[in-house]
Amino acid sequence: MAGDSTAAVYESARAPRAGWGQALPVFTAPEVEVVDRALSGASSKSFADAGLLDAILRDIEPGDWLLISFGHNDQKLYDPARGVEPYDGYQAYLRTYLAGARQRGAHPVLVTPVERRRFRADGTAYSSLGDYPAAMSALAREENVPLIGLNAASMELWHKLGPEPTKEYFLWLEPGEHPNYPDGITDDTHFQAHGAIEVARLLGSLLDEARVLPRGSLTGLRRPVPDSALVWPAEPPVLT
């Protein structure tokens, strides 16, 4: 996986914060290895500029699948190190991921960025990611690569759940609720364990429906999964 903080793996000192990529192994078959290279704060541009795409392409093997999901930080146009316009730099950088994977015999898959927790006064969810999901969708059509519509599917889920229940998915904690966040936290972008697991389930279901991965790669998509199923490493993962 190449992506940002919503997909990244977090160490135990930051639990219960978790990315959907961190939770995806809960739903994969034993013979499937999930290599999550997502980096907190990364955009399609900064990830590549930092050499992290090169690191993936160094390690990726023919027949592997590369899930690519950016957008949250690409829209930060005030930051020249990360911000890129959706139909300009964003598509251009994403093309380098697609080309690199294809050159190595791997299969790239574009995953539209998961939606933040955003609600109008009447309780309806709305998109915060502008034209980036649409730009990725257009690129997938142009390049004839699989597209997983996680943005639309997640926004539909948030709308169905509503403003209050979604707090159990995102990183909302009361003061004293967790030792890693003694003062509490209100975060409408990042997930706690329950949210990461359910977004991973959603992604897995979309991958399964689209028949992107080999049959049998995903398992248990309908079974209940406790938050305790998630694993936080002692140290942050090494991405290079």
Side-chain angles (χ1 to χ4, degrees), residues 115-147:
E115 190 50 68
R116 298 181 177 97
R117 181 183 173 275
R118 294 288 189 273
F119 289 93
R120 299 183 180 90
D122 63 0
T124 58
Y126 68 90
S127 175
S128 66
L129 286 157
D131 288 334
Y132 291 87
M136 180 181 278
S137 299
L139 179 64
R141 291 191 297 271
E142 292 172 16
E143 294 285 340
N144 194 29
V145 297
L147 176 79

Side-chain angles (χ1 to χ4, degrees), residues 1-2 35 37 47-48 51-62 64-68 93-108 239-240:
M1 284 179 223
V35 182
R37 298 289 182 88
F47 191 95
L52 297 180
L53 174 58
D54 289 339
I56 286 176
L57 298 179
R58 182 187 65 228
D59 296 338
I60 206 166
E61 297 182 358
D64 285 352
W65 297 84
L66 176 60
L67 304 186
I68 306 156
Y93 271 98
L94 291 176
R95 280 194 174 93
T96 66
Y97 292 74
L98 304 181
R102 285 168 161 168
Q103 288 167 6
R104 288 153 182 81
H107 309 291
L239 303 180
T240 58

